[in-house]
Amino acid sequence: MALNTSPDAPLPVGEVSRLIGGWIDRLGAIWVEGQITQLSRRPGAGVVFMTLRDPSHDISVSVTCYRQVFDAVADVVSEGARVVVRAKPEWYERRGQLSLRAAEIKPVGVGELLARIEQLKKSLAAEGLFAPERKKTLPFLPQLIGLVTGRASAAERDVLENARHRWPAVRFEVRNVPVQGVHAVPQVVQAVKDLDGHDEVDVIIVARGGGSVEDLLPFSDEQLVRAVASCRTPVVSAIGHEPDNPLLDHVADLRASTPTDAAKKVVPDVGEEHERVQWLRDRARRSVDAFLDREARGLAHALARPCMEHPHRMVEEREEQVAALVDRSRRTLGHLLDRAGSELTHTHARVVALSPAATLQRGYAVLQKPDGTVVRAPGEVAVDEELRARVAEGSFTVRTTQTDTARQAGHTDDANHTNNAEN
């Protein structure tokens, strides 16, 4: 339909509608599945009008068919029914409206719906959306509970009344939405997303009363299942009764058999919790009492030991041993000191006896030259040389003199030297 148009050479509306119709007429027949939302069967009219809507999206298309086509399924098809239609697209030029001309209508039976749900269940399970490790733990006492349910429904009443009966202070953020029909899925999905984005909501309950398989189909919709799987907030599924098992039960973090059961599982019972607290207090008190009794018995047993009754007895028993050891050490040390003193005395005596001072005490003297050199021979001194004589009590100066002969002087010196050598 590529056309050369411009602001100066536009196409009339009729021409555009005709061209669109010509393009659509070239389309072949197709099979379409949806849910009938509007059905118009005027008496005497040869054409039946209906609207076919996508249950998962807010999209619908008009469908027309001849009466004989619809009469073939009129007994089993009504508003809200899921059908499969073989139709050809048609374009109504005067109104610029697209519709489908149905040549055959087949109702989707319960068995077929369940088979499709089962197939979707296997596909989603293979993706891991139902895995136990994805399940989030519910808070013990939620401060604010999000509730998605029908307006003024029995499910809403059951959840609110039972929850408030169990815990009067509980608060709810309620979203009333259609829970069946073509508008159910998009509005339930939007309500779940809104509550999941609420910072104060601790847990979300999706509740609905019982119904037929067709009524519960929105809660097996893939779009809703994926929306719940992506929630950060724990989600509780409370759909229908115990036998009902939509796919929402598998993806939710907790499944409740009924809305009443959801209230019991999400909110603790204040009376039971009070009894549990009292039981825990009694148990703690008994544990403390038993601990104190056990420790008191242990303390009494420890105090009854001889070392605790007479703490000084051990010291007294060791006192004599310590005294004996001290005496022994003193005696040993005295003996060692006496022996060392005796040896020191003997050594001192020997040293004194061998010292030059002792020799001087016996009357000997030592002659020294002025430079301190000891005179050992007469030839080492000259006549009239001044010498220093050292005796026991001190020293004095002497001077050598001339004798009658040098020999006599030498003899005298030899005699003195001999006397010194003897001493």
Side-chain angles (χ1 to χ4, degrees):
M1 291 181 61
L3 300 175
N4 294 323
T5 61
S6 67
D8 298 328
L11 287 179
V13 173
E15 181 66 15
V16 173
S17 180
R18 185 187 65 79
L19 291 174
I20 293 175
W23 179 75
I24 291 177
D25 286 340
R26 290 196 295 270
L27 298 177
I30 55 174
W31 286 96
V32 182
E33 180 183 357
Q35 188 174 16
I36 298 176
T37 58
Q38 295 179 0
L39 180 61
S40 177
R41 300 173 62 192
R42 297 173 185 159
V47 179
V48 176
F49 298 90
M50 67 186 75
T51 300
L52 201 62
R53 190 181 187 90
D54 190 328
S56 301
H57 302 86
D58 191 13
I59 300 175
S60 61
V61 64
S62 298
V63 179
T64 61
C65 67
Y66 292 111
R67 177 174 290 276
Q68 58 267 29
V69 174
F70 186 81
D71 287 344
V73 293
D75 295 336
V76 294
V77 171
S78 60
E79 286 191 9
R82 296 282 288 269
V83 295
V84 176
V85 177
R86 184 172 66 87
K88 185 179 183 304
E90 288 187 345
W91 180 257
Y92 188 53
E93 292 184 11
R94 290 188 177 182
R95 295 183 181 178
Q97 182 178 357
L98 176 68
S99 65
L100 298 177
R101 171 71 69 171
E104 184 178 358
I105 301 175
K106 289 185 176 182
V108 179
V110 174
E112 187 175 356
L113 290 174
L114 294 177
R116 294 183 183 180
I117 292 175
E118 186 64 26
Q119 183 64 30
L120 178 60
K121 177 182 176 182
K122 293 179 180 179
S123 175
L124 296 175
E127 294 183 29
L129 297 186
F130 304 156
E133 55 269 19
R134 290 177 56 92
K135 308 295 183 182
K136 293 177 283 294
T137 303
L138 271 64
F140 167 72
L141 180 59
Q143 300 299 312
L144 183 62
I145 300 175
L147 177 60
V148 180
T149 186
R151 184 179 302 277
S153 62
E156 179 182 6
R157 183 177 62 255
D158 290 345
V159 173
L160 296 180
E161 290 182 357
N162 283 279
R164 288 167 178 163
H165 176 73
R166 291 172 64 83
W167 199 276
V170 68
R171 297 183 299 121
F172 279 89
E173 184 74 19
V174 182
R175 295 288 188 274
N176 294 121
V177 296
V179 291
Q180 69 182 56
V182 294
H183 300 287
V185 173
Q187 295 197 32
V188 171
V189 169
Q190 187 59 45
V192 170
K193 291 181 178 180
D194 290 345
L195 293 175
D196 185 50
H198 198 300
D199 294 336
E200 297 183 6
V201 173
D202 298 321
V203 63
I204 300 173
I205 299 176
V206 182
R208 187 204 189 284
S212 63
V213 175
E214 293 86 348
D215 293 338
L216 301 182
L217 282 178
F219 300 98
S220 292
D221 188 86
E222 181 178 1
Q223 183 183 1
L224 177 59
V225 172
R226 293 189 182 278
V228 172
S230 62
C231 284
R232 297 178 296 104
T233 309
V235 178
V236 177
S237 174
I239 306 301
H241 302 296
E242 181 64 35
D244 299 323
N245 191 20
L247 297 185
L248 180 62
D249 289 348
H250 299 280
V251 73
D253 300 293
L254 179 66
R255 176 188 181 271
S257 58
T258 61
T260 300
D261 183 49
K264 293 181 179 179
K265 290 183 175 180
V266 172
V267 181
D269 185 83
V270 64
E272 294 177 358
E273 296 305 318
H274 178 74
E275 293 179 359
R276 183 177 291 108
V277 170
Q278 187 62 39
W279 178 78
L280 291 173
R281 291 178 61 185
D282 294 340
R283 180 181 177 184
R285 185 178 294 107
R286 290 193 300 270
S287 298
V288 173
D289 291 342
F291 175 77
L292 293 176
D293 292 342
R294 183 170 61 254
E295 295 300 317
R297 290 194 299 270
L299 181 60
H301 177 72
L303 292 175
R305 299 179 64 182
C307 63
M308 297 300 294
E309 288 185 343
H310 304 284
H312 298 289
R313 177 178 298 177
M314 184 179 296
V315 177
E316 294 171 353
E317 291 177 352
R318 299 295 182 184
E319 184 179 7
E320 295 180 0
Q321 298 180 8
V322 172
L325 291 174
V326 170
D327 292 341
R328 180 180 176 183
S329 63
R330 285 177 178 173
R331 290 194 302 269
T332 301
L333 181 59
H335 294 329
L336 293 176
L337 292 176
D338 293 342
R339 183 182 305 169
S342 178
E343 292 179 354
L344 181 60
T345 302
H346 294 162
T347 302
H348 181 267
R350 289 196 299 271
V351 170
V352 170
L354 298 175
S355 68
T359 302
L360 295 177
Q361 287 289 343
R362 291 197 297 270
Y364 290 91
V366 177
L367 296 177
Q368 293 177 319
K369 291 185 176 184
D371 59 359
T373 304
V374 178
V375 178
R376 292 180 173 83
E380 294 179 355
V381 298
V383 177
D384 198 25
E385 184 180 356
E386 187 176 293
L387 300 175
R388 182 171 174 271
R390 182 180 177 184
V391 295
E393 299 299 329
S395 63
F396 54 89
T397 302
V398 298
R399 185 179 297 275
T400 60
T401 61
Q402 179 67 39
T403 59
D404 293 339
T405 64
R407 182 178 180 182
Q408 288 180 351
H411 178 74
T412 302
D413 291 338
D414 290 340
N416 291 335
H417 179 72
T418 301
N419 288 334
N420 289 336
E422 289 179 357
N423 289 334

